[in-house]
Amino acid sequence: MTTLIWIAVFLGTFCIMEFMAWATHKYVMHGFLWSLHKDHHHKDHDSWFERNDAFFIFYAVVSIGCFLLWKFDIFWAGLPIGIGIFAYGLAYFIVHDIFIHQRFKLLKKADNWYAKGIRRAHKIHHKHLGKGDGECFGMLFVPLKYFKRK
């Protein structure tokens, strides 16, 4: 396979993961697995870990599965897909857990238009403490209205 095809598959996977994260967040986390996600909206324990962290495990298993499909010559695109899923998970962790929720005290001073828009969108999402009536379920690509100055 040519390098350009591998790069295209990687980038395509990364972008598709934003849609997958949005759909999983809206229909699974705020749906039938709300019991795992609700402590992210309303902390009901003293632990640093949240039940919500279990969702990382699902996508890690899918990514590892893709790596294994490639390693055993079952599916050539397993490697760029697995790396794309991993890269999105890493970006999600940096943006969501480190930058927005400050689970590690890093990136506190990021103050550009993109950072402000992402924070604003996530803050609007978290104003809803319950399962329903949520908005803005995406992470890296959020509606333009959140980037406008008030």
Side-chain angles (χ1 to χ4, degrees):
M1 285 293 139
T2 67
T3 304
L4 286 178
I5 293 173
W6 282 58
I7 292 169
V9 171
F10 162 77
L11 292 173
T13 301
F14 186 92
C15 291
I16 289 168
M17 283 304 298
E18 175 69 6
F19 171 76
M20 292 300 299
W22 175 88
T24 302
H25 192 179
K26 182 168 183 158
Y27 297 111
V28 176
M29 293 177 178
H30 282 260
F32 66 95
L33 287 180
W34 173 250
S35 61
L36 290 178
H37 185 62
K38 69 181 174 183
D39 71 334
H40 181 64
H41 283 264
H42 184 68
K43 195 166 181 171
D44 60 359
H45 54 79
D46 293 327
S47 175
W48 183 83
F49 290 101
E50 299 175 348
R51 290 181 294 276
N52 183 63
D53 294 334
F55 292 104
F56 277 112
I57 295 168
F58 171 77
Y59 284 111
V61 168
V62 173
S63 180
I64 291 166
C66 289
F67 291 139
L68 292 174
L69 289 172
W70 170 78
K71 179 180 174 22
F72 293 110
D73 292 325
I74 297 168
F75 183 51
W76 72 266
L79 183 62
I81 291 171
I83 294 171
I85 294 169
F86 170 79
Y88 183 85
L90 181 61
Y92 190 98
F93 176 73
I94 291 168
V95 170
H96 183 262
D97 290 325
I98 295 176
F99 174 65
I100 293 173
H101 288 290
Q102 290 290 299
R103 287 175 84 175
F104 299 96
K105 303 303 179 202
L106 303 169
L107 304 174
K108 287 180 174 183
K109 297 181 182 182
D111 198 26
N112 60 58
W113 68 272
Y114 180 74
K116 288 178 181 178
I118 295 296
R119 275 192 175 135
R120 191 174 296 124
H122 205 73
K123 187 174 185 175
I124 294 298
H125 176 74
H126 274 270
K127 79 176 184 178
H128 303 285
L129 297 178
K131 180 178 174 178
D133 298 325
E135 61 183 283
C136 196
F137 293 93
M139 175 54 52
L140 300 177
F141 307 115
V142 299
L144 290 175
K145 69 180 183 179
Y146 297 107
F147 294 104
K148 294 179 181 172
R149 290 189 172 138
K150 295 191 178 203

